[in-house]
Amino acid sequence: MVRLNYLDNLKVALTFLVIFHHAGQAYGDGGEWGYTPSNPAEVMPWIWHFFSTNAAFFMGLYFFISGYFIPGSYDRQGFGTFVRKKILRLGVPLLLMGGLLTSATGKVEIAHMWFVESLLIFSFFYAVVRKRCPAISKDCDSRPTLIGLFIAALVMGIGSYFIRQESPQDHWISLSIWTFEPAHYLQYVMMFVLGILAYRFDWLDKMTKTTGVVALLIGGALAIGNYVRQDGEWNDFVWQWFGIYESLMCVFISFGLLWLFREKVNMGNKALSWLSAQSYGAYIVHLPLMICIQNMFDGVWMGAFGKFMFVGVVSTVLSFAFTWLLRLLPGVKRVL
């Protein structure tokens, strides 16, 4: 297989973004978090813009990239090997980290591992479907177009709009061991499926410069529109239709970034390969490491923004380094 360096590099960038997103949650209204600063001055009221824009696309893009690699993996391995490897790669970290977080909190808790759990469910579902149905033929001239992206975003947005009438954003549901946020779940399912189709129809190679550039510009404009909204008519409009607005951000930012990384960040070297190899493990281990760092430096005044950046940088470095050390242990590379 040809290594797609730009997808590896994009996954690394998304991992950095996830870690910094979580680093900011203690210093703004980012939902329930396992640490609260003892100094009430360590707060950044503006950071909700950062949270809102990130949440619009970054986990959806994670699911897209994961979905992209699923069909080829199944084609090479077959049902049995595919399922066993997904249990090892996804199920084992889920059980270990879930057990650690549950022991630490005294209640059943998987926190950020909801992504791994959902990806495991999606992978099993794909395997069951493929066992009964043949693979989609690649004999199709389909390619990403701006109209196609808009239609996908509109379907996602209308569905999300109605889901949010019953289950607003940041409302999480736990059904036995399945934890999910209904407001974003349609986005995740659709992006995973789009990733599968992108592999089958070779969409990433077929995406034209015009489609990529315009998608990036539209996504960037929507992100700016989300950052600048405060109180007023624009904020009221975006908030009323946020399920649709966010879905447009998701699709256009995601495909814009896929094109940008394909054209401008499609390189490989030892440093980038090292980062890519550790990125999955860094996602898994970063949260407990981060909370330890936040508690250790709780009494050190750096200003709210300074503390946010400090925690983000240190957590990122330690997460990647700790993953590298773990992967030196026999057998760990098969999991992480």
Side-chain angles (χ1 to χ4, degrees), residues 174-195:
S174 293
L175 300 177
S176 184
I177 61 171
W178 181 30
T179 300
F180 65 103
E181 182 197 17
H184 280 117
Y185 220 65
L186 176 61
Q187 177 194 125
Y188 303 150
V189 171
M190 286 189 63
M191 291 297 284
F192 183 79
V193 172
L194 287 173

Side-chain angles (χ1 to χ4, degrees), residues 107-118:
K107 61 179 182 178
V108 177
E109 179 66 77
I110 62 171
H112 64 303
M113 296 299 289
W114 68 265
F115 166 71
V116 177
E117 180 185 53
S118 292

Side-chain angles (χ1 to χ4, degrees), residues 12 26 40 103 293:
V12 171
S103 298
I293 293 165

Side-chain angles (χ1 to χ4, degrees), residues 108-265:
V108 177
E109 179 66 77
I110 62 171
H112 64 303
M113 296 299 289
W114 68 265
F115 166 71
V116 177
E117 180 185 53
S118 292
L119 187 55
L120 182 62
I121 293 170
F122 294 175
S123 299
F124 282 172
F125 186 80
Y126 177 84
V128 171
V129 171
R130 277 296 310 277
K131 190 173 178 63
R132 296 178 176 274
C133 305
I136 300 173
S137 172
K138 289 188 175 183
D139 297 330
C140 176
D141 195 32
S142 171
R143 68 179 62 221
T145 64
L146 293 171
I147 295 298
L149 296 181
F150 179 76
I151 291 172
L154 196 60
V155 171
M156 183 188 299
I158 293 172
S160 298
Y161 172 82
F162 285 107
I163 290 171
R164 290 167 192 234
Q165 305 308 303
E166 301 297 328
S167 181
Q169 189 168 327
D170 295 324
H171 174 230
W172 289 80
I173 295 175
S174 293
L175 300 177
S176 184
I177 61 171
W178 181 30
T179 300
F180 65 103
E181 182 197 17
H184 280 117
Y185 220 65
L186 176 61
Q187 177 194 125
Y188 303 150
V189 171
M190 286 189 63
M191 291 297 284
F192 183 79
V193 172
L194 287 173
I196 293 171
L197 296 177
Y199 174 84
R200 287 298 180 199
F201 299 143
D202 203 19
W203 280 350
L204 298 187
D205 287 339
K206 291 179 179 177
M207 181 162 47
T208 64
K209 179 179 179 180
T210 299
T211 298
V213 170
V214 175
L216 190 62
L217 291 174
I218 293 174
L222 291 168
I224 292 170
N226 196 44
Y227 265 95
V228 300
R229 66 188 179 100
Q230 298 292 340
D231 295 329
E233 293 183 3
W234 174 244
N235 178 67
D236 293 341
F237 172 80
V238 173
W239 180 248
Q240 180 180 0
W241 303 104
F242 195 65
I244 297 174
Y245 190 96
E246 183 185 61
S247 296
L248 290 167
M249 272 200 291
C250 173
V251 172
F252 283 103
I253 291 176
S254 294
F255 276 83
L257 288 176
L258 287 163
W259 172 84
L260 180 66
F261 273 69
R262 188 193 75 184
E263 296 299 317
K264 305 298 183 183
V265 200

